[in-house]
Amino acid sequence: MQKIPRHRTGRVRTTAAVLRRPYEFYSETRASYGRTVLIKALNGDVVVSGDPENVRRIFAADPMIYAPFAEQTTKGLLGSYSIFQLSGPAHRNERGILMPPLHGDRMRAYTDAIVAATERQAREWKSGDEIVAIDAALRITMEVILEVVFGVQKSARIEAYCSAIEALTKSANPVLLFSKIAQVKLAGLGPWDRFLKARDGVDTLIYEDIERRRADPGEDILSLLIAARYPDGCAMADEAIRDELVTLLFAGHETTSIATSWAMHWLHSDADCLARLREELRGTGDDATAISKAPWLDACIKETLRLNPILPDVLRTLVEPIELAEGTVPAGKGIAAAQAMTHYDPEIFEDPERFNPERFLERKFRPWEYYPFGGGARRCAGAALATWELKFVLATLLRDNAFEAIGEPPKAARRNATMGPDNGVPMR
């Protein structure tokens, strides 16, 4: 690592900056140190790069050289069997089970649930009502996840899940997920105790539904996971199913709602972009294929995810060395491809601070220049479902409803592991 500059800020200040304002931190880091730098954080040393050549090397490397980064800190939420916690053959096998329900023709099977949940939410609004975009999107994506993943359709059960997940989300302070030393029980009264209690509430519901679906299978993803088999013929343990369901909840529910709220912000800050999208959507009607292939809708979503990647970086731990352009990074170090750095690089994206969907119609960016879902063998397994859901939520909302942005423009703020709009995007 002889040619990789070292960030001079101490561990506490660096960790605070990455937690509170990663976009700004990575922009300042690129200006001061270049596109690749070694930073020291409370959960380890990490070589961070926004250099497309290094990002390409990170994504193209043999996946067996990686392990999850700081897995001990996120194990309390996701569990030991989550795909985010696994590495090597175990990760490959788990990905093989998860990918089929989240891709291909399965997407079309989820369309009706996505549209119906969005329409139910919209029917609750009257002209002049003030709403918070992220709250509305959270409700929509929650209902979608519960129906297509868990097979839950009864309103009372949906409400029970919503209450339990809201409690868990509120208790998941970012510090608890980034620092093992904060995960300490304090006679039932501390933040970690409150988190564990909320987690147990969600787990109770999940294990009940695993038993229900085992006795009465459906077309939902939970039923598919119960029926799935690893290469050796073994079924998934209940604990593994639980961990993947929680992973899908947090990787699919909150992230998609955050992206929806950012898209609503950006579209309503540019009247021409919004008018062009409405015109395109009027031309698609209710044709699912036409909506899924609508070029301006696709470009608007891609530009939203460029400006506001839900995760500011893709973190891994090296179990073997990797060669970057500047030299060898040894085993034991963290390695990160930083979307928040690459996506704002003016050498790749002209005028990078501006919302400009047109750039995605003019040019196809390479997967190491634009990577909102990560890349390589650990690219987000739910990327296709998330994009599909975004398209149909936005199409349903914007085709039949008009909104006005109110309040101050949002700033990116840490919610837990994710980055969302600090004010939720208020609208009328």
Side-chain angles (χ1 to χ4, degrees), residues 53-108:
E53 173 56 26
N54 282 338
V55 172
R56 184 190 67 78
R57 295 184 186 202
I58 292 169
F59 290 160
D62 183 345
M64 298 303 166
I65 75 168
Y66 297 123
F69 182 78
E71 73 273 15
Q72 292 301 317
T73 59
T74 55
K75 185 183 293 185
L77 172 62
L78 302 178
S80 301
Y81 297 96
S82 165
I83 191 170
F84 290 160
Q85 302 292 108
L86 301 175
S87 59
H91 177 270
R92 182 180 60 239
N93 292 340
E94 200 77 4
R95 191 174 178 87
I97 280 182
L98 285 177
M99 290 292 281
L102 300 173
H103 283 75
D105 291 340
R106 295 294 307 180
M107 298 298 97
R108 299 187 182 281

Side-chain angles (χ1 to χ4, degrees), residues 403-417:
F403 299 87
E404 173 193 3
I406 57 178
E408 294 296 318
K411 297 179 181 178
R414 182 78 69 173
R415 291 176 64 84
N416 36 68

